[in-house]
Amino acid sequence: MTAARMPGEEHRDEPVQPEPQPIEYSSTASIRGPLIVIEGVQDIGWNEVAEIRLVDGEVRHGVVLDVSLDHAIVEVLEGTAGMRLNGVRTAFGGGPMSVPITEEWLGRVCDGRGEPLDGGPPILGSHRREINGTPINPAVRIPPSEPIITGVSAIDGLATLVRGQKLPIFSVGGLPHLELAAQIAVQANVAGEPFAVVFAALGVTHADAASLRDTLETRAGERETVMFINTADDPVVERLMTPRLALTVAEHLAFECDRHVLVLLADMTNYAEALRQVSAARGEVPTRRGYPGYLYSDLASLFERAGRMRGRRGSVTLVPVLTMPAGDITHPVPDLTGYITEGQLVLAADLHARGVYPPLDLMGSLSRLMRRGAGEQLTREDHLELSDQLYSLMARALQAAELAEIVGADALPAADQGLLAFRAALEREFLSQGQQEARTVEATLDLGWQVASRLPASALTMVSRQTLAARYRGGEPDAEHGHVG
Amino acid sequence: MELSAGTITRVNGPLVEVAGGCDLRVAELVTVGSRQLAGEVLSLAGESATVQVYEETSGLRPREAVLATGRPLSAELGPGLLGGVFDGMLRRLQDAGPWLEPGALRGALDPERRWRFTPSVRPGEQVEPGAVLGTVPETDAITYRALVPHELAGTIETIADEGEVTVGETIATVAGHEITLAHTWPVRRPRPAAGRLSSGRPLITGQRVVDLLFPLCQGSTAGVPGGFGTGKTLLLQQIAKWCDADVIVYVGCGERGNELAELLEDFAAIEDPRSGQRLMDRTVTIVNTSNMPLLAREASIYTGVTVAEHYRDMGYDAVVIADSTSRWAEALRESAARTEELPAEEGYPPELSSTLAAFYERAGRFQTLAGAQASVTILGAVSPPGGDLAEPVTAHTRRFVRAVWSLDRQLAYARHHPAISWTDSSSRDAESLAAFKAAEGDDGWAQRRREALQLLMDADRIESIAQLTGVESLPSPERVALICARLLREGVLQQSALSLNDRYCAPAKQAALLALVLDINRALLASANGGTAIERIEALDLSDVARVRDECPADDVDAVTRLGAEIQSRIARPR
């Protein structure tokens, strides 16, 4: 497929040119923490990239944090351990950090800086683009309004992911959030339109990285995925670049190559911790729990890159995965994420303990854009009614369960006992599914009706008579009178 | 106008040092570098100046030029703002490119567009500041009035004939000064008015829980604190759509792009129930999404209130909706941190509270320079981190605003929308509004409000007892209170933003719905006290009470009254 828009058409992309021999500066005046000061520099811009060559030939990378007429302060991404003042030579790259803009990324597995890990050739393109990205003009955005089908019932049925949305997964350590993210990455589709998955692994273990690569392998073979892997022992400053790189590639695939692109970023808590670490090294004033005051804006500069634009066929949809330290949803990382994203999918430890996969806590989870992205013509005409009904029954079932803990399930009225049975069935038949099991929307919604139909039709008050007549599968489709409980 | 002021000697993120800047003034607007980024002078020392740049400075180099503009950060005001979408510095976004490259945005108004001008004065007339020189039909809903500037008075020397003019053309000469349709105003400076007036007129929002329980006067202020997912933005958008002001200035400050796209689509599609015009025609939208430059976000709040004051000066009632002031405060914190100011609470600069107070003071009901009465109302969302209502922005905002609509997470989780808490919210305007309603002929307004609040509080207390002892052990009047508080919550306070009948509710229907529930409460109490078994009362089907808000049109009082009569007769003769 050829690109619908050429690089350089709208962005200030730099054409890749045979590099003139860059000037190397050996006048390093001081080294402190991750920062080195280089004197006598000429024509260096702020935020420009640098290559730092050590005496033994080792090459490290940096960015300009502060530049004046005669010196530049450079932050070394890999740290300054082992560096000395003499013999360090620094060359500047002529601009901020950038990546090649090309569809060649598809099918590749790279490290957190975009260097191949899959044994393939380096990724080249005719142009490079700065990874920090340019804000989408809010006046050209169009509201997200079509679904992405993940094949996971809990998501498709009750918290539908919508193209252009940002919907995070909130989890805690030890829960299968990476498995769920990988399953979404493998199964997600948009009814046959061109699609791609960009997966950025941030600070994950080597074991997790390997299993992610395995899981995504088939799809990579079809040239529908790009993986960027920053492992837990990679430099923390690199962790700050990886999501930006991934999103720059995603924007190109979406808005210039007309694909619907799903970006998964896991684990954003590792990212935020890297940000805190770098901020502390720079001596910045900390705010809540030591995170810098710009954590919100920094996260927003990533998450807001999701969206749809007028006149473009493609879209960028974002699923950040984060682990809530100590399961605390008011921790700055989930809290600020929740303020930026359009809903959240929350995983619950008690469901996991009961063997439910995916252990999605329905009451805490919400897709705020679902109302626009599901229903007639999009998924199925009964979808929204059914999901409202399941939510409402679940809320009442939880109340009944609380009561049952005090008085015992046997002492509950029959209607409440019915709700308890409904909840058990919902978890077992609807919520639970295999890690390799992709369900169609039809199958998901039918399962929802199968569970709901365990209750008398008169209990399903949020569903219209019409829908009930068409979909209810219980014994007595009796929608005549009042409600239960 | 642009004079060379010097060259860059240092770049440190958004902070730029400039040498040869001796002619610059503090707070002056400058353009920085070859891409002409906008910046503001922070400080001066000898031959050098420190400039804060409003846009991304990646790639900016020492030795690039800095140009002075001779004025502080200002907004361009004139016809063409209504219906428009602007960034935090009031630069037009609609006709900008798909990506906001630094330096890509320019002015607010379309310099080419021709407006139909009708003069209101004749040569030789004496005019005072604020007098109307002529009018332009800005949109179908609002007539733009070109005014004599505030510092100017004297004789009209020339005035343009009826005809088409652009915003830059001279429409009049007054006492030797040429006046154009458009002018600029420094956004951090309140626009002058003749005086402040006390206000007793309600701002009707069409949202029942607001208008009935925590109402607001025109020219007043409200803070809306709420954690994520509690529906702050939805509530404020509902008010932007349905409140009875003339002009709405919606400031999306550090919030989501998708949300604003949806709002703009709604503004363009929905008609104002009063004028029949598109809502877009009375709305100015200022958008600085969370990924747009932070410093322009700081400016956006001031830009918004300046635009509102501009329409106030023409005699209109304007409402500024700032969503969210917390993101603005964060921008303030960020720029304070960059200039190494000593932080006070949670890293915020010490001036946070005085800055917030001064911002809300730009609201009020005023006598304009021309003698008309007009108002600026400010509604500010607050996004407390971790839902912590003791954090500085929330705590200070509560002290400075007239009304607090506090959004409650428990209510939101229970899908009770708008999730305005009746225990944590308040309105200092309720008393003066009661007097206004009484003067209008409704002297039961305050009494109904008191009864409703009492019923809600009673029910909360009774529910917490019932959780320990079970409902069965409660005396009958308390069980009646539980029934009626539920009717009040479901039938009156909850309101569906999606329902055509319910998204806006006219004041008469609001009053009727509340009276309906309170009358049922009285009748049930009388019935219970008269010896009717509580089980029979609880068996009454009152579900129509919860549905009637949604099943009859926004102003259909009769349907509510009919239902009331029907239920009263059922209570009198239980089956």
Side-chain angles (χ1 to χ4, degrees), chain B residues 13-38:
Chain B
L15 285 190
V16 169
E17 275 173 28
V18 181
C22 51
D23 280 345
L24 290 170
R25 293 187 229 179
V26 171
E28 181 170 345
L29 195 68
V30 292
T31 59
V32 177
S34 55
R35 275 189 273 158
Q36 305 203 334
L37 311 177

mmCIF file of all heavy atoms in Angstrom, chain B residues 13-38:
data_model
loop_
_atom_site.group_PDB
_atom_site.id
_atom_site.type_symbol
_atom_site.label_atom_id
_atom_site.label_comp_id
_atom_site.label_asym_id
_atom_site.label_seq_id
_atom_site.Cartn_x
_atom_site.Cartn_y
_atom_site.Cartn_z
ATOM 1 N N GLY B 13 14.340 25.093 27.810
ATOM 2 C CA GLY B 13 12.917 24.773 27.706
ATOM 3 C C GLY B 13 12.166 26.013 27.259
ATOM 4 O O GLY B 13 12.588 26.711 26.340
ATOM 5 N N PRO B 14 11.080 26.340 27.937
ATOM 6 C CA PRO B 14 10.295 27.510 27.515
ATOM 7 C C PRO B 14 10.926 28.833 27.955
ATOM 8 O O PRO B 14 10.427 29.892 27.593
ATOM 9 C CB PRO B 14 8.947 27.301 28.216
ATOM 10 C CG PRO B 14 9.236 26.439 29.372
ATOM 11 C CD PRO B 14 10.424 25.596 29.021
ATOM 12 N N LEU B 15 11.990 28.781 28.746
ATOM 13 C CA LEU B 15 12.626 30.017 29.196
ATOM 14 C C LEU B 15 13.770 30.387 28.262
ATOM 15 O O LEU B 15 14.640 29.579 27.981
ATOM 16 C CB LEU B 15 13.182 29.856 30.610
ATOM 17 C CG LEU B 15 12.178 29.856 31.746
ATOM 18 C CD1 LEU B 15 12.918 29.925 33.073
ATOM 19 C CD2 LEU B 15 11.212 31.017 31.628
ATOM 20 N N VAL B 16 13.741 31.641 27.798
ATOM 21 C CA VAL B 16 14.734 32.100 26.846
ATOM 22 C C VAL B 16 15.340 33.392 27.377
ATOM 23 O O VAL B 16 14.604 34.273 27.841
ATOM 24 C CB VAL B 16 14.063 32.339 25.472
ATOM 25 C CG1 VAL B 16 14.983 33.072 24.526
ATOM 26 C CG2 VAL B 16 13.625 31.009 24.876
ATOM 27 N N GLU B 17 16.664 33.480 27.322
ATOM 28 C CA GLU B 17 17.298 34.742 27.699
ATOM 29 C C GLU B 17 17.660 35.520 26.455
ATOM 30 O O GLU B 17 18.098 34.958 25.453
ATOM 31 C CB GLU B 17 18.532 34.480 28.574
ATOM 32 C CG GLU B 17 18.110 34.338 30.021
ATOM 33 C CD GLU B 17 19.249 33.920 30.928
ATOM 34 O OE1 GLU B 17 20.411 34.227 30.605
ATOM 35 O OE2 GLU B 17 18.943 33.281 31.946
ATOM 36 N N VAL B 18 17.452 36.823 26.539
ATOM 37 C CA VAL B 18 17.627 37.690 25.389
ATOM 38 C C VAL B 18 18.577 38.809 25.768
ATOM 39 O O VAL B 18 18.424 39.405 26.838
ATOM 40 C CB VAL B 18 16.256 38.302 24.990
ATOM 41 C CG1 VAL B 18 16.410 39.204 23.775
ATOM 42 C CG2 VAL B 18 15.253 37.209 24.726
ATOM 43 N N ALA B 19 19.560 39.091 24.909
ATOM 44 C CA ALA B 19 20.466 40.209 25.177
ATOM 45 C C ALA B 19 20.064 41.383 24.287
ATOM 46 O O ALA B 19 19.537 41.189 23.189
ATOM 47 C CB ALA B 19 21.903 39.818 24.909
ATOM 48 N N GLY B 20 20.326 42.587 24.781
ATOM 49 C CA GLY B 20 19.963 43.780 24.028
ATOM 50 C C GLY B 20 18.502 44.090 24.181
ATOM 51 O O GLY B 20 17.905 44.763 23.364
ATOM 52 N N GLY B 21 17.881 43.589 25.265
ATOM 53 C CA GLY B 21 16.441 43.764 25.454
ATOM 54 C C GLY B 21 16.094 44.950 26.326
ATOM 55 O O GLY B 21 15.099 44.924 27.035
ATOM 56 N N CYS B 22 16.883 46.010 26.272
ATOM 57 C CA CYS B 22 16.673 47.095 27.230
ATOM 58 C C CYS B 22 15.353 47.834 27.000
ATOM 59 O O CYS B 22 14.818 48.450 27.911
ATOM 60 C CB CYS B 22 17.836 48.071 27.192
ATOM 61 S SG CYS B 22 18.199 48.590 25.522
ATOM 62 N N ASP B 23 14.809 47.781 25.784
ATOM 63 C CA ASP B 23 13.573 48.516 25.534
ATOM 64 C C ASP B 23 12.319 47.713 25.864
ATOM 65 O O ASP B 23 11.213 48.193 25.720
ATOM 66 C CB ASP B 23 13.506 48.953 24.064
ATOM 67 C CG ASP B 23 14.344 50.202 23.863
ATOM 68 O OD1 ASP B 23 14.694 50.827 24.890
ATOM 69 O OD2 ASP B 23 14.639 50.518 22.705
ATOM 70 N N LEU B 24 12.521 46.479 26.262
ATOM 71 C CA LEU B 24 11.365 45.649 26.572
ATOM 72 C C LEU B 24 10.771 46.033 27.918
ATOM 73 O O LEU B 24 11.459 46.555 28.786
ATOM 74 C CB LEU B 24 11.790 44.176 26.617
ATOM 75 C CG LEU B 24 12.163 43.558 25.283
ATOM 76 C CD1 LEU B 24 12.781 42.186 25.505
ATOM 77 C CD2 LEU B 24 10.925 43.437 24.402
ATOM 78 N N ARG B 25 9.471 45.751 28.074
ATOM 79 C CA ARG B 25 8.833 45.948 29.368
ATOM 80 C C ARG B 25 8.458 44.605 29.946
ATOM 81 O O ARG B 25 8.223 43.645 29.205
ATOM 82 C CB ARG B 25 7.550 46.740 29.204
ATOM 83 C CG ARG B 25 7.767 48.142 28.762
ATOM 84 C CD ARG B 25 6.429 48.823 28.828
ATOM 85 N NE ARG B 25 6.172 49.538 27.600
ATOM 86 C CZ ARG B 25 5.048 50.215 27.389
ATOM 87 N NH1 ARG B 25 4.114 50.216 28.305
ATOM 88 N NH2 ARG B 25 4.879 50.865 26.270
ATOM 89 N N VAL B 26 8.333 44.532 31.254
ATOM 90 C CA VAL B 26 7.879 43.289 31.885
ATOM 91 C C VAL B 26 6.445 43.023 31.419
ATOM 92 O O VAL B 26 5.644 43.947 31.306
ATOM 93 C CB VAL B 26 7.959 43.396 33.421
ATOM 94 C CG1 VAL B 26 7.285 42.201 34.078
ATOM 95 C CG2 VAL B 26 9.409 43.498 33.858
ATOM 96 N N ALA B 27 6.160 41.760 31.137
ATOM 97 C CA ALA B 27 4.842 41.296 30.658
ATOM 98 C C ALA B 27 4.550 41.700 29.219
ATOM 99 O O ALA B 27 3.453 41.494 28.724
ATOM 100 C CB ALA B 27 3.699 41.751 31.563
ATOM 101 N N GLU B 28 5.546 42.242 28.520
ATOM 102 C CA GLU B 28 5.329 42.564 27.115
ATOM 103 C C GLU B 28 5.350 41.277 26.281
ATOM 104 O O GLU B 28 6.067 40.324 26.584
ATOM 105 C CB GLU B 28 6.447 43.511 26.636
ATOM 106 C CG GLU B 28 6.296 43.923 25.192
ATOM 107 C CD GLU B 28 7.271 45.041 24.790
ATOM 108 O OE1 GLU B 28 7.857 45.681 25.688
ATOM 109 O OE2 GLU B 28 7.437 45.253 23.586
ATOM 110 N N LEU B 29 4.540 41.270 25.228
ATOM 111 C CA LEU B 29 4.512 40.138 24.308
ATOM 112 C C LEU B 29 5.649 40.292 23.299
ATOM 113 O O LEU B 29 5.848 41.382 22.767
ATOM 114 C CB LEU B 29 3.173 40.134 23.594
ATOM 115 C CG LEU B 29 2.772 38.872 22.852
ATOM 116 C CD1 LEU B 29 2.508 37.758 23.858
ATOM 117 C CD2 LEU B 29 1.517 39.137 22.036
ATOM 118 N N VAL B 30 6.386 39.207 23.062
ATOM 119 C CA VAL B 30 7.453 39.262 22.055
ATOM 120 C C VAL B 30 7.307 38.074 21.121
ATOM 121 O O VAL B 30 6.630 37.103 21.443
ATOM 122 C CB VAL B 30 8.856 39.209 22.716
ATOM 123 C CG1 VAL B 30 9.134 40.479 23.509
ATOM 124 C CG2 VAL B 30 8.988 37.989 23.602
ATOM 125 N N THR B 31 7.919 38.176 19.935
ATOM 126 C CA THR B 31 7.981 36.992 19.087
ATOM 127 C C THR B 31 9.428 36.531 19.051
ATOM 128 O O THR B 31 10.351 37.315 18.931
ATOM 129 C CB THR B 31 7.461 37.256 17.666
ATOM 130 O OG1 THR B 31 8.247 38.292 17.097
ATOM 131 C CG2 THR B 31 6.018 37.694 17.691
ATOM 132 N N VAL B 32 9.585 35.203 19.175
ATOM 133 C CA VAL B 32 10.901 34.635 19.439
ATOM 134 C C VAL B 32 11.337 33.739 18.289
ATOM 135 O O VAL B 32 10.594 32.828 17.896
ATOM 136 C CB VAL B 32 10.855 33.817 20.750
ATOM 137 C CG1 VAL B 32 12.188 33.158 21.013
ATOM 138 C CG2 VAL B 32 10.455 34.701 21.921
ATOM 139 N N GLY B 33 12.529 33.994 17.766
ATOM 140 C CA GLY B 33 13.152 33.077 16.832
ATOM 141 C C GLY B 33 12.579 33.141 15.428
ATOM 142 O O GLY B 33 11.632 33.886 15.151
ATOM 143 N N SER B 34 13.153 32.317 14.545
ATOM 144 C CA SER B 34 12.771 32.383 13.140
ATOM 145 C C SER B 34 11.336 31.912 12.911
ATOM 146 O O SER B 34 10.704 32.259 11.929
ATOM 147 C CB SER B 34 13.735 31.532 12.311
ATOM 148 O OG SER B 34 13.755 30.228 12.832
ATOM 149 N N ARG B 35 10.812 31.099 13.837
ATOM 150 C CA ARG B 35 9.437 30.647 13.654
ATOM 151 C C ARG B 35 8.429 31.586 14.315
ATOM 152 O O ARG B 35 7.236 31.307 14.334
ATOM 153 C CB ARG B 35 9.268 29.235 14.205
ATOM 154 C CG ARG B 35 9.674 28.188 13.190
ATOM 155 C CD ARG B 35 9.296 26.807 13.661
ATOM 156 N NE ARG B 35 10.332 26.233 14.497
ATOM 157 C CZ ARG B 35 10.118 25.257 15.371
ATOM 158 N NH1 ARG B 35 8.907 24.788 15.536
ATOM 159 N NH2 ARG B 35 11.107 24.778 16.087
ATOM 160 N N GLN B 36 8.930 32.680 14.876
ATOM 161 C CA GLN B 36 8.063 33.697 15.484
ATOM 162 C C GLN B 36 7.119 33.125 16.533
ATOM 163 O O GLN B 36 5.905 33.309 16.488
ATOM 164 C CB GLN B 36 7.256 34.432 14.405
ATOM 165 C CG GLN B 36 8.165 35.026 13.348
ATOM 166 C CD GLN B 36 7.504 36.180 12.623
ATOM 167 O OE1 GLN B 36 6.288 36.267 12.537
ATOM 168 N NE2 GLN B 36 8.312 37.085 12.123
ATOM 169 N N LEU B 37 7.711 32.428 17.504
ATOM 170 C CA LEU B 37 6.925 31.889 18.602
ATOM 171 C C LEU B 37 6.521 33.031 19.531
ATOM 172 O O LEU B 37 7.281 33.978 19.723
ATOM 173 C CB LEU B 37 7.769 30.873 19.378
ATOM 174 C CG LEU B 37 8.479 29.822 18.537
ATOM 175 C CD1 LEU B 37 9.345 28.931 19.416
ATOM 176 C CD2 LEU B 37 7.469 28.985 17.773
ATOM 177 N N ALA B 38 5.338 32.917 20.113
ATOM 178 C CA ALA B 38 4.891 33.962 21.032
ATOM 179 C C ALA B 38 5.525 33.765 22.406
ATOM 180 O O ALA B 38 5.661 32.641 22.885
ATOM 181 C CB ALA B 38 3.374 33.921 21.158
#
